[in-house]
Amino acid sequence: MIKFLDLQKINDQYRVELVDAFERVLRTGWFLLGDETARFEKEFAGYCGVKEAIGVANGLDALNLIFRAYIELGVMQQGDEVIVPANTYIASVLAVSENGLTPVFVEPELETYNINPYILEEYITPNTRAILAVHLYGNMVAMDAICSLAEKYSLKVIEDSAQAHGAVFNGKKAGNWGDASGFSFYPGKNLGALGDGGAVTTNDAELAKIIRSIANYGSEIKYHNDYRGLNSRLDEIQAAFLGVKLKYLDYEITKRREIALRYIKEIKNDHLSLPSFMEIEQHVWHLFVVRTQHRDSFQKYLTENNIQTVIHYPIPPHKQQAYVDFNQMSFPITEKIHNEVLSLPISPILTNEEVTTIIDVVNRYGK
């Protein structure tokens, strides 16, 4: 079976360095808010081209903390509207509603799967405070159009970069376009920890200061609590692991792009719609997502031919039980995407032979 994602094999590449990192932390006896986290935050901020990176417990917390900090700053208040893509993983929406803000869904472009910036303006109201731009599957949103609209209406731009570490649009990386950005280091991400983790990036020093405080029980000075905070910290061991893997991220992105370009060039099957992209640097191929009206039979066929696939994601946020108040809403493009998408393996440790096998099997489907 060709695995969808073989994390054991991915991490085995860096086993010696990962073990060294673990032992380094173990020897210090310091496991939270120490030198490893500070070092990784500095390195990741430099990688993204921003002034500040704040390590947190996970990607959802990263987004939650951004909205919470803007509420503390008085930039937003409960009931304000945040524009979000209808086609996204539910975490993007959870971060909005968790803070008492109102998500306003906008359809994606079918070609990119990302929020459609060219229809977005009609959804802006006097209550709109921010646009949440989700770089879905690793493909960056057209951020020039988003930022231009935000400037016109004095809105905040928040990037959900959970799947887009290292992606570049017009010379700037994901996490450096908006006022702030949330990243996930879930193990399956392009930059994945050996556990959970996340980060906020921003060029706003005041925002970063408040986020750091809220994430640490609302405290800058121990036992002095300025906010009703929460506990969301990137631990030292995960920071050390991420510091190792960050060094190899660009190499792994290159491997993903090579596989994606082979798929796009060599898959020839009229039953499938292949993904598209504008510029090579814009997409880091966290996922390679195809669409077909015969998804269930296609997935079964691939399984029978020893190719593991995953559906990202079968149910859109507005159709989830968690958002029952939105269940009657209709977003035809989003619903079409969620009913048809299937993700093929695109891990950087796939061999050329495995990629060839996948292409050959896919091309035989329906023949």
Side-chain angles (χ1 to χ4, degrees), residues 140-145 167-174 177 281-282:
M140 280 193 73
V141 177
M143 291 303 296
D144 52 354
V168 178
F169 181 80
N170 285 0
K172 289 171 64 175
K173 282 185 177 169
W177 273 91
E281 290 188 330
Q282 194 171 334

Side-chain angles (χ1 to χ4, degrees), residues 107-176:
E107 285 270 53
E109 296 177 292
L110 188 58
E111 296 77 19
T112 67
Y113 303 121
N114 283 330
I115 195 168
N116 187 339
Y118 308 109
I119 64 170
L120 195 153
E121 187 168 16
E122 63 190 81
Y123 293 86
I124 296 173
T125 76
N127 296 319
T128 306
R129 295 293 175 269
I131 301 169
L132 180 59
V134 181
H135 307 309
L136 198 64
Y137 309 147
N139 189 18
M140 280 193 73
V141 177
M143 291 303 296
D144 52 354
I146 297 290
C147 291
S148 177
L149 268 179
E151 184 177 2
K152 179 178 178 181
Y153 290 96
S154 300
L155 305 176
K156 295 296 182 184
V157 175
I158 298 161
E159 294 175 80
D160 182 340
S161 302
Q163 301 181 357
H165 320 68
V168 178
F169 181 80
N170 285 0
K172 289 171 64 175
K173 282 185 177 169
N176 192 19

Side-chain angles (χ1 to χ4, degrees), residues 12-179:
D12 264 351
Q13 302 173 102
Y14 316 122
R15 174 181 289 274
V16 172
E17 290 181 76
L18 292 171
V19 170
D20 286 346
F22 174 79
E23 291 181 343
R24 185 172 67 244
V25 175
L26 192 62
R27 286 193 298 270
T28 69
W30 193 278
F31 303 107
L32 288 168
L33 300 179
D35 291 343
E36 294 291 345
T37 301
R39 183 183 302 113
F40 173 71
E41 287 177 338
K42 182 178 180 180
E43 291 172 353
F44 191 64
Y47 179 82
C48 295
V50 297
K51 295 177 181 177
E52 301 275 356
I54 306 104
V56 299
N58 54 68
L60 176 55
D61 277 6
L63 294 175
N64 265 332
L65 285 160
I66 293 168
F67 288 115
R68 172 69 188 282
Y70 277 131
I71 289 172
E72 295 290 351
L73 282 166
V75 174
M76 301 178 194
Q77 61 182 358
Q78 292 196 353
D80 283 346
E81 295 174 355
V82 177
I83 290 175
V84 299
N87 177 45
T88 186
Y89 181 55
I90 197 170
S92 310
V93 187
L94 289 171
V96 176
S97 60
E98 174 68 17
N99 286 282
L101 302 167
T102 303
V104 176
F105 296 107
V106 174
E107 285 270 53
E109 296 177 292
L110 188 58
E111 296 77 19
T112 67
Y113 303 121
N114 283 330
I115 195 168
N116 187 339
Y118 308 109
I119 64 170
L120 195 153
E121 187 168 16
E122 63 190 81
Y123 293 86
I124 296 173
T125 76
N127 296 319
T128 306
R129 295 293 175 269
I131 301 169
L132 180 59
V134 181
H135 307 309
L136 198 64
Y137 309 147
N139 189 18
M140 280 193 73
V141 177
M143 291 303 296
D144 52 354
I146 297 290
C147 291
S148 177
L149 268 179
E151 184 177 2
K152 179 178 178 181
Y153 290 96
S154 300
L155 305 176
K156 295 296 182 184
V157 175
I158 298 161
E159 294 175 80
D160 182 340
S161 302
Q163 301 181 357
H165 320 68
V168 178
F169 181 80
N170 285 0
K172 289 171 64 175
K173 282 185 177 169
N176 192 19
W177 273 91
D179 296 282

Side-chain angles (χ1 to χ4, degrees), residues 174-365:
N176 192 19
W177 273 91
D179 296 282
S181 178
F183 285 87
S184 168
F185 303 127
Y186 179 79
K189 302 300 188 194
N190 288 17
L191 179 59
L194 275 66
D196 227 333
V200 174
T201 59
T202 183
N203 289 305
D204 185 334
E206 183 180 15
L207 184 71
K209 181 180 179 181
I210 292 174
I211 288 172
R212 287 189 188 278
S213 178
I214 295 171
N216 187 35
Y217 297 96
S219 172
E220 283 185 63
I221 302 171
K222 196 169 185 178
Y223 302 130
H224 294 257
N225 302 85
D226 301 312
Y227 308 99
R228 297 179 184 180
L230 52 103
N231 176 14
S232 182
R233 301 174 293 200
L234 180 66
D235 69 64
E236 287 286 278
I237 288 175
Q238 297 305 332
F241 289 156
L242 287 164
V244 170
K245 297 184 73 176
L246 179 61
K247 296 185 296 183
Y248 302 101
L249 178 57
D250 286 343
Y251 165 77
E252 290 200 357
I253 289 171
T254 298
K255 297 296 290 184
R256 289 175 178 274
R257 285 177 176 148
E258 289 172 356
I259 295 167
L261 291 174
R262 278 201 65 191
Y263 282 163
I264 290 169
K265 181 180 179 181
E266 298 178 37
I267 291 177
K268 308 290 183 183
N269 192 312
D270 293 339
H271 295 286
L272 305 179
S273 295
L274 300 179
S276 61
F277 63 96
M278 295 297 292
E279 301 291 338
I280 189 66
E281 290 188 330
Q282 194 171 334
H283 208 319
V284 292
W285 301 102
H286 171 59
L287 300 172
F288 189 93
V289 178
V290 300
R291 285 189 297 107
T292 175
Q293 295 179 4
H294 314 288
R295 179 174 66 194
D296 290 347
S297 66
F298 182 49
Q299 185 174 42
K300 181 182 178 184
Y301 163 80
L302 292 175
T303 302
E304 290 170 347
N305 283 272
N306 297 312
I307 298 170
Q308 186 182 41
T309 58
V310 178
I311 299 172
H312 297 92
Y313 306 96
I315 306 172
H318 72 280
K319 294 297 184 183
Q320 296 282 359
Q321 180 62 30
Y323 288 108
V324 66
D325 292 347
F326 299 146
N327 285 177
Q328 298 307 311
M329 301 178 79
S330 175
F331 297 98
I333 298 174
T334 292
E335 289 155 24
K336 177 181 177 65
I337 289 169
H338 284 254
N339 287 331
E340 295 183 356
V341 288
L342 188 69
S343 299
L344 301 181
I346 193 169
S347 118
I349 49 84
L350 284 177
T351 66
N352 286 330
E353 292 74 21
E354 287 173 325
V355 174
T356 298
T357 296
I358 293 167
I359 292 167
D360 289 345
V361 170
V362 169
N363 281 341
R364 289 199 304 269
Y365 173 68

